[in-house]
Amino acid sequence: MASTTIQTAKAVLRKKCKNILSSLSESDKNQQSDIISKKLLSLPEFQDSNRISIYLSMDEEVATDQILKHIVRSKKTCFIPHYSGPSMKMVPLRSLEDYENLPLTKWNIKQPSDDDIRPDALETGGLDLIIMPGLAFSLAGARLGRGKGYYDAYLKRCYEHGYKPVTVSLCFHQLLFDNIPVIPGSDMFVDKVLYPDAADLMDNINILR
């Protein structure tokens, strides 16, 4: 499939995903985020990792605030994205107070200000685990991003520096597809996709009752 055809297929799927997201209630997103967070925290790859990068979630994404707090409280080193123009680096978060004091970007996401210079994780020892965001995923690990390519480029930089972090993505069950259009050699797959299955959702409903 030609690259332009794949890009068109991605655009169509992004629109479909955004329609799905707009139909999800806050309670549904919160319920799923809670289940997914517990799955991540119990994952051996997470427990064995000391240097972890995590995206700071927007309203339409699986919430990561509780995961971030767990990373910091567990004395692991937490890294968060810092976007600048077309590039992204992963910078250290010093504490929960540091997180609370970060300014908001135009996307309503916290990140250090441009004059708050922090080293990239690749300059200080790399990363053990990257929690990668996305709009949709497949069980095979294909990922539909938002079209900027930040994480694909960063993961390639990790490999160039000799680091091979485990990659995990968090997915609402409505946004798990059999197939995701990908551009070979450009779009990076993730190692694991965590999502609530039917049994998880039913168990959670029973607990709430």
Side-chain angles (χ1 to χ4, degrees):
M1 189 183 294
S3 176
T4 52
T5 305
I6 296 172
Q7 294 290 13
T8 300
K10 285 186 177 187
V12 171
L13 185 54
R14 283 192 185 100
K15 185 175 180 180
K16 178 178 181 179
C17 290
K18 288 176 181 178
N19 287 337
I20 292 171
L21 283 166
S22 67
S23 71
L24 296 183
S25 67
E26 285 303 311
S27 61
D28 188 9
K29 289 187 289 186
N30 290 339
Q31 178 191 15
Q32 292 197 54
S33 292
D34 182 58
I35 293 169
I36 296 166
S37 295
K38 289 175 181 174
K39 286 194 170 196
L40 176 69
L41 298 184
S42 66
L43 203 66
E45 291 89 341
F46 177 86
Q47 295 175 355
D48 293 341
S49 295
N50 291 312
R51 295 168 62 88
I52 302 173
S53 79
I54 186 165
Y55 68 92
L56 303 184
S57 54
M58 296 185 287
D59 288 342
E60 60 186 19
E61 294 176 317
V62 173
T64 59
D65 53 328
Q66 294 304 314
I67 299 168
L68 180 146
K69 291 174 182 176
H70 179 90
I71 294 171
V72 175
R73 288 169 179 158
S74 299
K75 305 302 182 184
K76 298 175 185 287
T77 306
C78 184
F79 295 84
I80 58 173
H82 186 282
Y83 304 94
S84 180
S87 65
M88 176 189 75
K89 61 182 182 177
M90 290 295 177
V91 300
L93 191 66
R94 303 183 186 106
S95 64
L96 292 179
E97 183 180 13
D98 181 24
Y99 168 69
E100 294 297 339
N101 291 332
L102 291 176
L104 290 171
T105 68
K106 63 182 179 181
W107 298 296
N108 204 35
I109 303 173
K110 287 176 176 287
Q111 79 168 29
S113 59
D114 290 340
D115 60 357
D116 182 356
I117 306 301
R118 306 186 188 205
D120 184 86
L122 298 181
E123 301 169 12
T124 62
L127 292 164
D128 300 320
L129 174 67
I130 299 178
I131 301 169
M132 297 180 65
L135 275 173
F137 304 90
S138 75
L139 280 176
R143 169 181 164 271
L144 179 71
R146 297 176 184 275
K148 299 292 187 181
Y150 287 121
Y151 276 82
D152 291 324
Y154 192 82
L155 197 51
K156 289 173 186 175
R157 285 180 57 210
C158 289
Y159 297 158
E160 290 166 2
H161 281 74
Y163 301 115
K164 195 175 189 310
V166 175
T167 53
V168 177
S169 288
L170 317 178
C171 179
F172 294 124
H173 75 87
Q174 293 94 336
L175 295 172
L176 187 70
F177 293 90
D178 291 334
N179 295 292
I180 298 284
V182 296
I183 298 176
S186 177
D187 295 331
M188 308 295 282
F189 280 59
V190 297
D191 296 318
K192 289 183 180 292
V193 179
L194 303 182
Y195 64 96
D197 57 28
D200 294 323
L201 294 169
M202 184 57 65
D203 287 345
N204 212 54
I205 289 171
N206 290 335
I207 290 171
L208 291 175
R209 286 176 180 165

